[in-house]
Amino acid sequence: MNYSIIRYILGWIFNFQAFAMFFPCIVAVIYGENEFLDFILCIVLCLVIGLLMTHRKPENKVFFAREGFVAVALSWILLSISGALPFIISGCIPNVVDAVFETVSGFTTTGSSILADVEILPKSILFWRSFTHWLGGMGVLVFLLMILPMNGGYQMFLMKAESPGPSVSKLVPKVRTTAMILYGIYMAMSVVQVVLLLIGDMPLFDALCTTFGSAGTGGFGIKNDSMTSYSAYSQVVTGIFMMLFGINFNVYFLLLMRHPKQALKCEEARWYIGIIAVSTGIITIFITNMYGSVGEALRHAFFQVSSIITTTGFATTDFNLWPAIAKTILVMLMFIGACAGSTGGGIKVSRLIILVKTIRKELKQILHPKNVTKIRLDGKIVEHDTVRSVNVFLVAYFLIFAASVLLISVDNKDLVTNFTAVAATFNNIGPGLEMVGPTQNFGCFSDFSTFILTIDMLAGRLEIFPLFILFMRDTWKRF
């Protein structure tokens, strides 16, 4: 283990946190809130720690998958703990466990909250709460790759450990350039959404916070009713952008490079859009009688399907009141998730495609034992290592899911609440059903269960292995 490079990267995480907190500090000054002093204190603390850890550059800058996984896991843990300080110091969330839960929910773009009334919070705290979504959406380490002075191509291990999906590739030969392209697309799409929301007469502060939530597919609302009180125009714009941010960013890169044919060949994107279309159509049929018109039912159905499959968690209505078939579809979408290489969570559509094709391959193998069948995705052969990693991921996923449901059942909540609470946090979605539905919150759980759900959010965002590799003895051996 190259401890010096880990220390150096973690130091930059504190520096990054200090830089990020300047923005809510500015918001506090604009609105004349005393919380700007709390943010100044947090900035100073993060800078002191960060500068102490980065003042001496590591002599050995070589690191591999092990260092990449450890650096990413520890970065997200430290980011969450330091990011919780404004909530604790300001007194908005005095309970440390709850404050860390709220912060982890923000950075992991989950959107689950322990707060019953968000409208009483200061503007600067609301801004920080939503801004963590935007920061965590594309990945903090991906951002740092643009500025960290590291050479030799080792940065790819960081990107692979942090980026969601079964496989990650460079868009261009240099990893730093790839990171810049990804963040450039991310920022450009965010700006477009803000402009469109402003055109719909949404206040600037609301437009920024809503964009942070939909771009990062997070879902922290700044109103107690989430998106319900906003206009139909704003809801449609947000729904469309949630869907767009759930598409693999490689597709946008191909379109940017004027390769539309290659972009259209993305099998995962086609499946993703198809699942959204079919789910929206079915739900619309079953909820039309609740809203009086097909148009209104279609708007709510599309918004909730887009919100859930992208694991954003915004809501325009209380879907906990929908018919059982509509709620069942939404729960299924919680597990499917968005595309790999997007800001969304869940299992990912690409893994679902590989799983379906693996089952089909096995069935063909039974009928034709001598035939050699290869699994293909986007016309390319899927390597055996990728198929194996998908299978291992799914086994680990369901084992952790089952264990989490069992552990939080000590609070004696009903099964639907426990099941969907784990589904909502592990898949980084936000709301569940029953006691954690779209009009409720996660404040009903004990500190123990809140801690378990916090671990689930981190494990879900980092896709299990980077987090749990910290508990392997061999991880910490020097080389």
Side-chain angles (χ1 to χ4, degrees):
M1 174 66 71
N2 186 347
Y3 287 100
S4 61
I5 194 68
I6 299 294
R7 180 259 307 163
Y8 188 68
I9 293 172
L10 295 181
W12 273 102
I13 287 296
F14 281 106
N15 292 336
F16 171 83
Q17 187 79 288
F19 170 74
M21 287 184 181
F22 269 112
F23 294 95
C25 188
I26 293 171
V27 172
V29 172
I30 292 173
Y31 287 95
E33 297 172 345
N34 293 328
E35 280 71 22
F36 84 93
L37 294 172
D38 301 327
F39 281 105
I40 290 294
L41 176 59
C42 295
I43 289 169
V44 171
L45 286 173
C46 290
L47 272 180
V48 169
I49 297 172
L51 293 175
L52 285 173
M53 296 176 73
T54 57
H55 80 284
R56 183 166 55 89
K57 294 182 179 180
E59 296 180 4
N60 182 7
K61 295 182 180 180
V62 177
F63 64 97
F64 299 101
R66 177 168 58 169
E67 285 82 4
F69 275 54
V70 169
V72 167
L74 291 179
S75 293
W76 279 78
I77 292 171
L78 293 178
L79 196 70
S80 300
I81 294 172
S82 59
L85 292 177
F87 294 117
I88 299 169
I89 295 173
S90 66
C92 293
I93 309 179
N95 183 294
V96 175
V97 176
D98 286 344
V100 173
F101 175 91
E102 197 79 9
T103 310
V104 170
S105 182
F107 279 115
T108 60
T109 71
T110 303
S112 300
S113 179
I114 52 87
L115 297 168
D117 186 1
V118 298
E119 293 182 20
I120 64 172
L121 296 177
K123 295 283 189 180
S124 55
I125 294 294
L126 282 175
F127 184 91
W128 174 241
R129 188 168 167 266
S130 296
F131 193 43
T132 54
H133 280 333
W134 195 84
L135 295 173
M138 184 55 65
V140 176
L141 271 297
V142 173
F143 178 82
L144 290 182
L145 287 177
M146 296 190 297
I147 57 176
L148 281 179
M150 292 187 291
N151 299 312
Y154 306 113
Q155 305 100 314
M156 196 62 195
F157 292 114
L158 290 176
M159 185 173 284
K160 285 184 176 180
E162 187 179 47
S163 300
S167 63
V168 177
S169 59
K170 291 185 286 186
L171 302 179
V172 292
K174 291 186 178 181
V175 176
R176 181 176 293 185
T177 307
T178 296
M180 293 177 68
I181 291 171
L182 289 173
Y183 253 97
I185 296 171
Y186 189 52
M187 290 178 182
M189 291 175 65
S190 299
V191 170
V192 172
Q193 184 181 353
V194 170
V195 171
L196 290 176
L197 290 175
L198 290 175
I199 291 173
D201 293 329
M202 183 181 283
L204 177 60
F205 181 83
D206 295 39
L208 287 171
C209 291
T210 301
T211 298
F212 293 153
S214 48
T217 61
F220 272 153
I222 59 173
K223 295 183 180 294
N224 293 329
D225 63 3
S226 188
M227 292 288 296
T228 305
S229 57
Y230 291 112
S231 67
Y233 168 84
S234 296
Q235 292 174 3
V236 171
V237 168
T238 303
I240 291 172
F241 272 88
M242 285 190 294
M243 180 182 71
L244 293 177
F245 279 107
I247 294 175
N248 192 321
F249 274 57
N250 285 11
V251 173
Y252 299 127
F253 173 74
L254 291 172
L255 291 174
L256 195 64
M257 294 294 103
R258 299 180 181 179
H259 298 304
K261 290 183 179 180
Q262 286 181 259
L264 293 173
K265 286 182 180 179
C266 181
E267 195 172 347
E268 183 183 29
R270 296 201 304 270
W271 275 58
Y272 168 74
I273 294 172
I275 292 170
I276 291 175
V278 172
S279 301
T280 300
I282 295 173
I283 290 176
T284 301
I285 292 171
F286 284 92
I287 67 170
T288 297
N289 63 333
M290 295 179 63
Y291 296 100
S293 70
V294 175
E296 189 174 358
L298 178 62
R299 173 165 56 86
H300 288 300
F302 168 71
F303 188 95
Q304 291 312 145
V305 167
S306 181
S307 179
I308 295 300
I309 195 171
T310 60
T311 69
T312 304
F314 281 139
T316 58
T317 185
D318 186 1
F319 55 79
N320 198 41
L321 301 176
W322 284 2
I325 186 169
K327 291 190 290 185
T328 302
I329 290 172
L330 292 181
V331 171
M332 292 173 68
L333 294 177
M334 288 182 181
F335 290 93
I336 294 172
C339 299
S342 71
T343 61
I347 292 175
K348 303 294 182 302
V349 175
S350 58
R351 287 196 178 97
L352 176 66
I353 296 171
I354 292 173
L355 180 63
V356 169
K357 291 189 174 184
T358 301
I359 294 172
R360 184 182 177 187
K361 174 189 172 183
E362 290 301 313
L363 291 174
K364 282 188 174 181
Q365 201 73 37
I366 293 172
L367 296 174
H368 309 285
K370 294 183 179 181
N371 282 2
V372 178
T373 307
K374 295 289 186 180
I375 297 173
R376 293 179 180 273
L377 188 64
D378 297 338
K380 300 176 182 177
I381 294 175
V382 178
E383 298 295 334
H384 175 72
D385 285 346
T386 302
V387 177
R388 179 189 58 80
S389 68
V390 168
N391 294 335
V392 172
F393 173 85
L394 290 172
V395 171
Y397 176 94
F398 287 112
L399 285 175
I400 295 170
F401 188 95
S404 298
V405 173
L406 177 64
L407 288 171
I408 71 168
S409 66
V410 298
D411 281 1
N412 204 30
K413 303 289 189 298
D414 64 275
L415 181 59
V416 173
T417 295
N418 291 336
F419 185 90
T420 57
V422 173
T425 51
F426 198 18
N427 294 311
N428 305 132
I429 294 164
L433 297 174
E434 299 299 340
M435 295 178 69
V436 291
T439 61
Q440 305 297 321
N441 61 77
F442 284 70
C444 59
F445 288 104
S446 65
D447 284 351
F448 172 76
S449 294
T450 301
F451 174 75
I452 297 298
L453 295 173
T454 301
I455 298 298
D456 284 341
M457 288 189 287
L458 282 170
R461 174 59 181 84
L462 299 179
E463 304 212 317
I464 300 173
F465 299 113
L467 183 63
F468 288 97
I469 204 171
L470 295 177
F471 302 98
M472 298 289 292
R473 182 184 298 177
D474 290 348
T475 300
W476 304 101
K477 290 182 179 179
R478 291 184 178 273
F479 62 82

PDB file of all heavy atoms in Angstrom, residues 153-176:
ATOM      1  N   GLY A 153      -0.823   7.762 -15.959  1.00  0.00           N
ATOM      2  CA  GLY A 153      -2.042   7.018 -16.250  1.00  0.00           C
ATOM      3  C   GLY A 153      -2.651   6.310 -15.057  1.00  0.00           C
ATOM      4  O   GLY A 153      -3.640   5.593 -15.184  1.00  0.00           O
ATOM      5  N   TYR A 154      -2.075   6.512 -13.853  1.00  0.00           N
ATOM      6  CA  TYR A 154      -2.585   5.814 -12.685  1.00  0.00           C
ATOM      7  C   TYR A 154      -3.957   6.349 -12.245  1.00  0.00           C
ATOM      8  O   TYR A 154      -4.671   5.690 -11.503  1.00  0.00           O
ATOM      9  CB  TYR A 154      -1.595   5.949 -11.517  1.00  0.00           C
ATOM     10  CG  TYR A 154      -0.199   5.499 -11.858  1.00  0.00           C
ATOM     11  CD1 TYR A 154       0.852   6.404 -11.922  1.00  0.00           C
ATOM     12  CD2 TYR A 154       0.064   4.158 -12.131  1.00  0.00           C
ATOM     13  CE1 TYR A 154       2.138   5.993 -12.246  1.00  0.00           C
ATOM     14  CE2 TYR A 154       1.341   3.741 -12.459  1.00  0.00           C
ATOM     15  CZ  TYR A 154       2.373   4.662 -12.508  1.00  0.00           C
ATOM     16  OH  TYR A 154       3.630   4.244 -12.834  1.00  0.00           O
ATOM     17  N   GLN A 155      -4.305   7.576 -12.726  1.00  0.00           N
ATOM     18  CA  GLN A 155      -5.579   8.165 -12.322  1.00  0.00           C
ATOM     19  C   GLN A 155      -6.763   7.314 -12.740  1.00  0.00           C
ATOM     20  O   GLN A 155      -7.845   7.427 -12.178  1.00  0.00           O
ATOM     21  CB  GLN A 155      -5.734   9.572 -12.930  1.00  0.00           C
ATOM     22  CG  GLN A 155      -4.588  10.513 -12.621  1.00  0.00           C
ATOM     23  CD  GLN A 155      -3.635  10.603 -13.790  1.00  0.00           C
ATOM     24  OE1 GLN A 155      -3.255   9.589 -14.365  1.00  0.00           O
ATOM     25  NE2 GLN A 155      -3.230  11.809 -14.152  1.00  0.00           N
ATOM     26  N   MET A 156      -6.588   6.461 -13.734  1.00  0.00           N
ATOM     27  CA  MET A 156      -7.698   5.638 -14.219  1.00  0.00           C
ATOM     28  C   MET A 156      -8.221   4.727 -13.127  1.00  0.00           C
ATOM     29  O   MET A 156      -9.409   4.398 -13.095  1.00  0.00           O
ATOM     30  CB  MET A 156      -7.235   4.805 -15.422  1.00  0.00           C
ATOM     31  CG  MET A 156      -8.387   4.229 -16.230  1.00  0.00           C
ATOM     32  SD  MET A 156      -9.422   5.545 -16.933  1.00  0.00           S
ATOM     33  CE  MET A 156     -10.876   4.623 -17.391  1.00  0.00           C
ATOM     34  N   PHE A 157      -7.360   4.326 -12.183  1.00  0.00           N
ATOM     35  CA  PHE A 157      -7.808   3.480 -11.082  1.00  0.00           C
ATOM     36  C   PHE A 157      -8.784   4.236 -10.178  1.00  0.00           C
ATOM     37  O   PHE A 157      -9.706   3.650  -9.624  1.00  0.00           O
ATOM     38  CB  PHE A 157      -6.613   2.983 -10.266  1.00  0.00           C
ATOM     39  CG  PHE A 157      -5.738   2.012 -11.014  1.00  0.00           C
ATOM     40  CD1 PHE A 157      -4.438   2.341 -11.347  1.00  0.00           C
ATOM     41  CD2 PHE A 157      -6.220   0.768 -11.397  1.00  0.00           C
ATOM     42  CE1 PHE A 157      -3.625   1.445 -12.040  1.00  0.00           C
ATOM     43  CE2 PHE A 157      -5.423  -0.126 -12.097  1.00  0.00           C
ATOM     44  CZ  PHE A 157      -4.116   0.226 -12.417  1.00  0.00           C
ATOM     45  N   LEU A 158      -8.566   5.548 -10.026  1.00  0.00           N
ATOM     46  CA  LEU A 158      -9.494   6.365  -9.245  1.00  0.00           C
ATOM     47  C   LEU A 158     -10.831   6.486  -9.956  1.00  0.00           C
ATOM     48  O   LEU A 158     -11.897   6.358  -9.350  1.00  0.00           O
ATOM     49  CB  LEU A 158      -8.910   7.763  -9.014  1.00  0.00           C
ATOM     50  CG  LEU A 158      -7.708   7.891  -8.077  1.00  0.00           C
ATOM     51  CD1 LEU A 158      -7.213   9.325  -8.062  1.00  0.00           C
ATOM     52  CD2 LEU A 158      -8.056   7.431  -6.684  1.00  0.00           C
ATOM     53  N   MET A 159     -10.782   6.732 -11.259  1.00  0.00           N
ATOM     54  CA  MET A 159     -12.020   6.890 -12.026  1.00  0.00           C
ATOM     55  C   MET A 159     -12.836   5.605 -12.033  1.00  0.00           C
ATOM     56  O   MET A 159     -14.061   5.624 -11.886  1.00  0.00           O
ATOM     57  CB  MET A 159     -11.701   7.340 -13.455  1.00  0.00           C
ATOM     58  CG  MET A 159     -12.936   7.634 -14.292  1.00  0.00           C
ATOM     59  SD  MET A 159     -12.564   8.353 -15.913  1.00  0.00           S
ATOM     60  CE  MET A 159     -12.175  10.027 -15.435  1.00  0.00           C
ATOM     61  N   LYS A 160     -12.163   4.470 -12.191  1.00  0.00           N
ATOM     62  CA  LYS A 160     -12.866   3.194 -12.207  1.00  0.00           C
ATOM     63  C   LYS A 160     -13.502   2.887 -10.859  1.00  0.00           C
ATOM     64  O   LYS A 160     -14.578   2.292 -10.783  1.00  0.00           O
ATOM     65  CB  LYS A 160     -11.907   2.067 -12.602  1.00  0.00           C
ATOM     66  CG  LYS A 160     -11.556   2.047 -14.080  1.00  0.00           C
ATOM     67  CD  LYS A 160     -10.671   0.853 -14.423  1.00  0.00           C
ATOM     68  CE  LYS A 160     -10.400   0.800 -15.928  1.00  0.00           C
ATOM     69  NZ  LYS A 160      -9.546  -0.355 -16.292  1.00  0.00           N
ATOM     70  N   ALA A 161     -12.816   3.261  -9.783  1.00  0.00           N
ATOM     71  CA  ALA A 161     -13.337   2.974  -8.442  1.00  0.00           C
ATOM     72  C   ALA A 161     -14.531   3.844  -8.098  1.00  0.00           C
ATOM     73  O   ALA A 161     -15.413   3.431  -7.346  1.00  0.00           O
ATOM     74  CB  ALA A 161     -12.236   3.179  -7.410  1.00  0.00           C
ATOM     75  N   GLU A 162     -14.596   5.066  -8.669  1.00  0.00           N
ATOM     76  CA  GLU A 162     -15.663   5.991  -8.301  1.00  0.00           C
ATOM     77  C   GLU A 162     -16.821   6.006  -9.287  1.00  0.00           C
ATOM     78  O   GLU A 162     -17.963   6.246  -8.911  1.00  0.00           O
ATOM     79  CB  GLU A 162     -15.107   7.413  -8.170  1.00  0.00           C
ATOM     80  CG  GLU A 162     -16.125   8.399  -7.636  1.00  0.00           C
ATOM     81  CD  GLU A 162     -15.553   9.802  -7.490  1.00  0.00           C
ATOM     82  OE1 GLU A 162     -14.903  10.279  -8.428  1.00  0.00           O
ATOM     83  OE2 GLU A 162     -15.778  10.407  -6.442  1.00  0.00           O
ATOM     84  N   SER A 163     -16.561   5.742 -10.553  1.00  0.00           N
ATOM     85  CA  SER A 163     -17.600   5.855 -11.577  1.00  0.00           C
ATOM     86  C   SER A 163     -18.520   4.645 -11.558  1.00  0.00           C
ATOM     87  O   SER A 163     -18.059   3.508 -11.447  1.00  0.00           O
ATOM     88  CB  SER A 163     -16.964   6.008 -12.962  1.00  0.00           C
ATOM     89  OG  SER A 163     -16.164   7.162 -13.004  1.00  0.00           O
ATOM     90  N   PRO A 164     -19.840   4.867 -11.666  1.00  0.00           N
ATOM     91  CA  PRO A 164     -20.801   3.767 -11.608  1.00  0.00           C
ATOM     92  C   PRO A 164     -20.856   2.966 -12.891  1.00  0.00           C
ATOM     93  O   PRO A 164     -20.665   3.504 -13.984  1.00  0.00           O
ATOM     94  CB  PRO A 164     -22.137   4.488 -11.364  1.00  0.00           C
ATOM     95  CG  PRO A 164     -21.951   5.831 -11.997  1.00  0.00           C
ATOM     96  CD  PRO A 164     -20.504   6.182 -11.793  1.00  0.00           C
ATOM     97  N   GLY A 165     -21.103   1.670 -12.758  1.00  0.00           N
ATOM     98  CA  GLY A 165     -21.267   0.817 -13.935  1.00  0.00           C
ATOM     99  C   GLY A 165     -20.272  -0.320 -13.958  1.00  0.00           C
ATOM    100  O   GLY A 165     -19.250  -0.289 -13.267  1.00  0.00           O
ATOM    101  N   PRO A 166     -20.548  -1.359 -14.766  1.00  0.00           N
ATOM    102  CA  PRO A 166     -19.664  -2.520 -14.833  1.00  0.00           C
ATOM    103  C   PRO A 166     -18.347  -2.272 -15.539  1.00  0.00           C
ATOM    104  O   PRO A 166     -17.423  -3.056 -15.416  1.00  0.00           O
ATOM    105  CB  PRO A 166     -20.506  -3.554 -15.601  1.00  0.00           C
ATOM    106  CG  PRO A 166     -21.443  -2.738 -16.428  1.00  0.00           C
ATOM    107  CD  PRO A 166     -21.749  -1.527 -15.598  1.00  0.00           C
ATOM    108  N   SER A 167     -18.231  -1.206 -16.322  1.00  0.00           N
ATOM    109  CA  SER A 167     -16.977  -0.915 -17.016  1.00  0.00           C
ATOM    110  C   SER A 167     -16.835   0.577 -17.226  1.00  0.00           C
ATOM    111  O   SER A 167     -17.812   1.295 -17.412  1.00  0.00           O
ATOM    112  CB  SER A 167     -16.907  -1.636 -18.367  1.00  0.00           C
ATOM    113  OG  SER A 167     -17.936  -1.182 -19.221  1.00  0.00           O
ATOM    114  N   VAL A 168     -15.602   1.045 -17.191  1.00  0.00           N
ATOM    115  CA  VAL A 168     -15.313   2.457 -17.386  1.00  0.00           C
ATOM    116  C   VAL A 168     -14.162   2.569 -18.371  1.00  0.00           C
ATOM    117  O   VAL A 168     -13.175   1.852 -18.259  1.00  0.00           O
ATOM    118  CB  VAL A 168     -14.910   3.137 -16.051  1.00  0.00           C
ATOM    119  CG1 VAL A 168     -14.548   4.594 -16.303  1.00  0.00           C
ATOM    120  CG2 VAL A 168     -16.037   3.038 -15.045  1.00  0.00           C
ATOM    121  N   SER A 169     -14.283   3.444 -19.343  1.00  0.00           N
ATOM    122  CA  SER A 169     -13.227   3.615 -20.334  1.00  0.00           C
ATOM    123  C   SER A 169     -12.914   5.095 -20.514  1.00  0.00           C
ATOM    124  O   SER A 169     -13.726   5.961 -20.202  1.00  0.00           O
ATOM    125  CB  SER A 169     -13.648   3.022 -21.679  1.00  0.00           C
ATOM    126  OG  SER A 169     -14.828   3.657 -22.145  1.00  0.00           O
ATOM    127  N   LYS A 170     -11.721   5.358 -21.011  1.00  0.00           N
ATOM    128  CA  LYS A 170     -11.312   6.733 -21.285  1.00  0.00           C
ATOM    129  C   LYS A 170     -11.950   7.192 -22.596  1.00  0.00           C
ATOM    130  O   LYS A 170     -11.976   6.463 -23.572  1.00  0.00           O
ATOM    131  CB  LYS A 170      -9.794   6.819 -21.378  1.00  0.00           C
ATOM    132  CG  LYS A 170      -9.078   6.604 -20.053  1.00  0.00           C
ATOM    133  CD  LYS A 170      -7.581   6.832 -20.178  1.00  0.00           C
ATOM    134  CE  LYS A 170      -6.905   5.690 -20.897  1.00  0.00           C
ATOM    135  NZ  LYS A 170      -5.430   5.830 -20.890  1.00  0.00           N
ATOM    136  N   LEU A 171     -12.450   8.427 -22.601  1.00  0.00           N
ATOM    137  CA  LEU A 171     -13.021   8.988 -23.827  1.00  0.00           C
ATOM    138  C   LEU A 171     -11.911   9.407 -24.775  1.00  0.00           C
ATOM    139  O   LEU A 171     -12.057   9.337 -25.995  1.00  0.00           O
ATOM    140  CB  LEU A 171     -13.911  10.194 -23.495  1.00  0.00           C
ATOM    141  CG  LEU A 171     -15.089   9.934 -22.538  1.00  0.00           C
ATOM    142  CD1 LEU A 171     -15.850  11.217 -22.300  1.00  0.00           C
ATOM    143  CD2 LEU A 171     -16.008   8.859 -23.085  1.00  0.00           C
ATOM    144  N   VAL A 172     -10.810   9.865 -24.194  1.00  0.00           N
ATOM    145  CA  VAL A 172      -9.625  10.270 -24.953  1.00  0.00           C
ATOM    146  C   VAL A 172      -8.416   9.669 -24.254  1.00  0.00           C
ATOM    147  O   VAL A 172      -8.516   9.196 -23.118  1.00  0.00           O
ATOM    148  CB  VAL A 172      -9.511  11.813 -25.029  1.00  0.00           C
ATOM    149  CG1 VAL A 172     -10.614  12.401 -25.876  1.00  0.00           C
ATOM    150  CG2 VAL A 172      -9.552  12.426 -23.636  1.00  0.00           C
ATOM    151  N   PRO A 173      -7.232   9.657 -24.892  1.00  0.00           N
ATOM    152  CA  PRO A 173      -6.072   9.001 -24.300  1.00  0.00           C
ATOM    153  C   PRO A 173      -5.716   9.460 -22.891  1.00  0.00           C
ATOM    154  O   PRO A 173      -5.314   8.653 -22.050  1.00  0.00           O
ATOM    155  CB  PRO A 173      -4.943   9.331 -25.292  1.00  0.00           C
ATOM    156  CG  PRO A 173      -5.648   9.484 -26.596  1.00  0.00           C
ATOM    157  CD  PRO A 173      -6.954  10.129 -26.259  1.00  0.00           C
ATOM    158  N   LYS A 174      -5.841  10.763 -22.576  1.00  0.00           N
ATOM    159  CA  LYS A 174      -5.461  11.263 -21.261  1.00  0.00           C
ATOM    160  C   LYS A 174      -6.646  11.257 -20.301  1.00  0.00           C
ATOM    161  O   LYS A 174      -7.723  11.750 -20.635  1.00  0.00           O
ATOM    162  CB  LYS A 174      -4.893  12.679 -21.378  1.00  0.00           C
ATOM    163  CG  LYS A 174      -3.540  12.743 -22.084  1.00  0.00           C
ATOM    164  CD  LYS A 174      -2.978  14.155 -22.042  1.00  0.00           C
ATOM    165  CE  LYS A 174      -1.599  14.210 -22.702  1.00  0.00           C
ATOM    166  NZ  LYS A 174      -1.009  15.574 -22.666  1.00  0.00           N
ATOM    167  N   VAL A 175      -6.421  10.711 -19.101  1.00  0.00           N
ATOM    168  CA  VAL A 175      -7.485  10.631 -18.101  1.00  0.00           C
ATOM    169  C   VAL A 175      -7.930  12.021 -17.680  1.00  0.00           C
ATOM    170  O   VAL A 175      -9.120  12.284 -17.495  1.00  0.00           O
ATOM    171  CB  VAL A 175      -7.012   9.825 -16.870  1.00  0.00           C
ATOM    172  CG1 VAL A 175      -8.079   9.823 -15.791  1.00  0.00           C
ATOM    173  CG2 VAL A 175      -6.667   8.404 -17.268  1.00  0.00           C
ATOM    174  N   ARG A 176      -6.978  12.946 -17.515  1.00  0.00           N
ATOM    175  CA  ARG A 176      -7.322  14.303 -17.102  1.00  0.00           C
ATOM    176  C   ARG A 176      -8.235  14.969 -18.133  1.00  0.00           C
ATOM    177  O   ARG A 176      -9.208  15.649 -17.770  1.00  0.00           O
ATOM    178  CB  ARG A 176      -6.054  15.132 -16.902  1.00  0.00           C
ATOM    179  CG  ARG A 176      -6.338  16.563 -16.433  1.00  0.00           C
ATOM    180  CD  ARG A 176      -5.054  17.320 -16.162  1.00  0.00           C
ATOM    181  NE  ARG A 176      -4.339  16.769 -15.027  1.00  0.00           N
ATOM    182  CZ  ARG A 176      -3.229  17.310 -14.529  1.00  0.00           C
ATOM    183  NH1 ARG A 176      -2.717  18.391 -15.089  1.00  0.00           N
ATOM    184  NH2 ARG A 176      -2.619  16.757 -13.501  1.00  0.00           N
TER     185      ARG A 176
END
